[in-house]
Amino acid sequence: MDRKPIVGIPADRRIYTGHPFHMAGEKYLAAVVRSVDAVPLIIPVLSEILDINTLLGHVDGILLSGSYSNVEPHRYAGEPSEDGTLHDPHRDAVTLPLIRLLLENAVPLFAICRGYQEFNVAMGGSLHQKVREVPGYNNHLENPDDPLDVQYGPSHSVALAEGGLLRDLTGKATVMVNSLHAQGVARLGDGLSVEATADDGLVEAFRVADAPAFNLGVQWHPEWRSTEVELSTAMFKAFGDACRERASRRQV
């Protein structure tokens, strides 16, 4: 009997009652179970003692989740964040080098929200820390007073790149997506091909087109009700298929 693939999810590190905890959002774990048909594995972000090269031999794919924290701006030569901005340097120290290893070793990668921004930074790109304050761009934040179903509901359209993976998965030129992010892509990372663009021109999805395995980054949140949205279902299935193919090779 073939085993289900294992999908690693690098944790967020948070301090509670003086102690560090490594955690992942339930909606990402549930999406891996329901929409990828895989086993989620939370990866502690212990960069000083965890050998990420060894880690690659134990997973069939990596999902980089969203988070309330931001990538530290020194990672992309950005200006210091304003006081009170939540960062997670322990996660940065694991995910940024991990991304290039995944691409080099043909390990499937699906990056969402913060994970998407990590993907861009790992490839040499930079970020707008406050998209809403950049002339020409819209406010891409949710209203925190709205119910979650409204916050994660369709917010704006994105144009899918002709000849791209997302256009191929959906057969559509445009789709509606949710929008819950303050930051966004400023300079696109090296080797990244645009997959989707918001109506204000902000890049909302990309991939490394010539990489040997599935890889995709999206700024929106497909993990929310992932079985109910056509595009979300298609993206997670494509990721899952790639993870199953790697798992079959690892069993040989």
Side-chain angles (χ1 to χ4, degrees), residues 14-241:
R14 296 285 185 272
I15 303 296
Y16 285 96
T17 63
H19 296 279
F21 285 77
H22 296 247
M23 57 182 59
E26 182 176 308
K27 59 184 177 173
Y28 300 101
L29 301 171
V32 167
V33 174
R34 292 179 179 139
S35 298
V36 182
D37 193 24
V39 177
L41 174 68
I42 299 175
I43 298 171
V45 287
L46 300 169
S47 62
E48 295 184 357
I49 59 175
L50 177 66
D51 182 0
I52 59 176
N53 287 283
T54 300
L55 170 69
L56 296 185
H58 297 277
V59 298
D60 302 302
I62 291 288
L63 178 72
L64 297 178
S65 68
S67 174
Y68 286 105
S69 68
N70 291 334
V71 176
E72 288 190 308
H74 75 82
R75 297 283 188 173
Y76 52 89
E79 294 296 319
S81 301
E82 68 177 27
D83 291 345
T85 300
L86 181 62
H87 294 123
D88 191 342
H90 294 83
R91 175 167 163 167
D92 293 347
V94 169
T95 57
L96 297 180
L98 176 62
I99 287 166
R100 285 193 173 271
L101 281 175
L102 298 173
L103 296 170
E104 292 167 3
N105 289 274
V107 180
L109 167 64
F110 193 9
I112 295 170
C113 194
R114 186 200 208 270
Y116 167 79
Q117 294 165 9
E118 289 168 331
F119 195 170
N120 188 54
V121 171
M123 303 303 289
S126 65
L127 303 173
H128 294 301
Q129 295 184 45
K130 293 184 177 181
V131 171
R132 65 188 181 279
E133 295 182 0
V134 179
Y137 287 133
N138 300 326
N139 183 0
H140 286 250
L141 280 168
E142 75 282 11
N143 181 350
D145 295 326
D146 285 338
L148 285 178
D149 276 342
V150 175
Q151 292 183 40
Y152 283 87
S155 176
H156 65 77
S157 65
V158 293
L160 305 184
E162 188 173 357
L165 173 65
L166 297 184
R167 178 81 76 100
D168 183 59
L169 289 176
T170 64
K172 297 178 179 178
T174 61
V175 294
M176 293 292 294
V177 298
N178 52 37
S179 188
L180 301 93
H181 60 101
Q183 299 202 129
V185 168
R187 183 181 68 255
L188 191 65
D190 299 334
L192 295 174
S193 298
V194 174
E195 283 282 333
T197 308
D199 47 15
D200 60 2
L202 188 67
V203 176
E204 292 258 338
F206 54 61
R207 68 184 178 116
V208 179
D210 60 357
F214 176 95
N215 70 94
L216 178 65
V218 299
Q219 181 61 82
W220 64 91
H221 286 267
E223 81 286 352
W224 182 261
R225 300 193 181 282
S226 60
T227 62
E228 300 175 17
V229 178
E230 180 184 3
L231 176 57
S232 301
T233 300
M235 290 189 295
F236 277 113
K237 181 181 183 303
F239 176 55
D241 288 345

